[in-house]
Amino acid sequence: MTTLGTRVRLLDPTSAPLPATGEMAPRPADLNGLRLGFLANGKRNSGPLMEAIYSLLAERFQIADAVFRTKKDPSRPAPKEMVEELLAQCDAIVTGPGD
């Protein structure tokens, strides 16, 4: 069945990307003697990825200590308490996905 005079309105669901407004955190000049934090985002391989990064860094630098934490939900920010703990205990923090 054909209906005359019917109009179809098409909408484009895409939008232009938002400009990046964040700033990169300052990087230490050297990792020797630092206590590093590793925050896995909770995806399947994020824990092993953080451990592998630690192993590579420990081969190149004299890391004083390491703290490992894992978020429970990869789609949510890390809990405030977890972030505060890492900031208080660590000189630098590594985070990233596992997929």
Side-chain angles (χ1 to χ4, degrees):
M1 177 172 148
T2 303
T3 305
L4 298 175
T6 301
R7 291 185 168 214
V8 175
R9 183 175 177 191
L10 297 176
L11 302 175
D12 183 357
T14 60
S15 62
L18 297 175
T21 57
E23 295 181 22
M24 297 290 284
R27 302 315 195 239
D30 188 0
L31 298 179
N32 289 312
L34 297 186
R35 185 173 197 197
L36 301 182
F38 293 86
L39 177 58
N41 76 345
K43 289 189 176 180
R44 182 176 177 196
N45 293 313
S46 60
L49 175 63
M50 293 298 114
E51 292 171 13
I53 292 171
Y54 168 74
S55 294
L56 290 171
L57 292 175
E59 289 176 7
R60 293 174 175 83
F61 302 97
Q62 298 295 316
I63 306 298
D65 196 9
V67 176
F68 292 87
R69 297 293 180 265
T70 302
K71 295 183 344 170
K72 291 184 180 182
D73 185 346
S75 66
R76 303 272 185 221
K80 182 179 178 181
E81 299 79 22
M82 186 181 290
V83 172
E84 289 174 352
E85 174 195 15
L86 288 168
L87 289 172
Q89 294 182 6
C90 303
D91 300 301
I93 300 167
V94 177
T95 187
D99 53 357

